[in-house]
């Protein structure tokens, strides 16, 4: 249904199957860092890497880092020098994320995501916009 509705508005929707033993939460499977740069768990896809992702630079994270929100990221865009920044787990929780993104000149602004991750949320989930109708 989602695919049918969104394609009416001009969006390309790609259906993928992933290992639900990792998580049921897509934000824990696919983290956008910067254009064509993403963070993923190691081998999450049941049908192999989706075609649409094959041209991306992929940072593969161990499940321990995925479990603390290693893919649940907030891309903050480039700084004044053009280097990208992303908010995610701190270096103690996600050392692979930090070291791999540093190699790509991306700065990780690390926060403690251990407790929110226990509830299947992390940086991205904690910053989503909530729209409410003001009753006042």
């Amino acid at each position: 249904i989602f695919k049918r509705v969104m394609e009416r508005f001009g969006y390309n929707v790609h259906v993928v199957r992933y290992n639900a033993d990792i998580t049921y939460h897509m934000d824990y499977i696919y983290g956008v860092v910067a254009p064509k740069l993403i963070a993923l768990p190691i081998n999450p896809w049941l049908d192999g890497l989706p075609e649409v992702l094959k041209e991306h630079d992929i940072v593969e994270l161990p499940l321990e880092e995925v479990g603390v929100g290693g893919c649940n990221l907030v891309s903050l865009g480039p700084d004044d020098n053009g280097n990208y920044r992303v908010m995610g787990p701190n270096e103690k929780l996600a050392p692979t994320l930090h070291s791999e993104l540093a190699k790509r000149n991306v700065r990780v602004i690390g926060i403690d995501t251990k407790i929110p991750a226990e509830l299947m949320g992390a940086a991205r989930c904690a910053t989503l916009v909530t729209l409410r109708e003001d009753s006042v």
Side-chain angles (χ1 to χ4, degrees):
I1 293 170
F2 179 77
K3 180 175 173 46
R4 186 176 68 234
V5 169
M6 295 309 290
E7 285 179 344
R8 287 184 196 161
F9 293 101
Y11 292 95
N12 293 322
V13 177
H14 303 274
V15 177
V16 295
R17 295 179 341 119
Y18 61 87
N19 182 351
D21 289 337
I22 297 171
T23 182
Y24 63 88
H25 196 307
M26 189 64 173
D27 284 352
Y28 267 59
I29 296 291
Y30 179 87
V32 176
V33 176
K36 303 289 185 190
L37 175 58
I38 57 177
L40 303 173
I42 296 170
N43 298 319
W45 312 110
L46 297 178
D47 303 318
L49 184 66
E51 193 66 35
V52 70
L53 300 181
K54 288 185 178 177
E55 58 191 54
H56 287 65
D57 183 7
I58 298 172
V59 174
E60 290 186 315
L61 299 179
L63 290 180
E64 301 80 39
E65 293 185 34
V66 173
V68 293
C71 297
N72 194 280
L73 305 169
V74 177
S75 179
L76 301 172
D79 62 18
D80 292 339
N81 296 319
N83 295 320
Y84 277 81
R85 302 157 299 162
V86 66
M87 184 170 49
N90 63 36
E91 191 168 6
K92 180 180 176 187
L93 294 171
T96 306
L97 176 71
H98 282 256
S99 67
E100 289 299 313
L101 291 183
K103 292 176 190 175
R104 293 159 172 88
N105 293 318
V106 175
R107 180 174 158 229
V108 179
I109 298 170
I111 59 174
D112 187 347
T113 57
K114 188 173 182 181
I115 292 172
E118 291 174 5
L119 302 169
M120 292 305 296
R124 183 176 184 285
C125 295
T127 60
L128 290 174
V129 175
T130 303
L131 299 176
R132 297 186 180 107
E133 201 170 299
D134 191 359
S135 61
V136 177

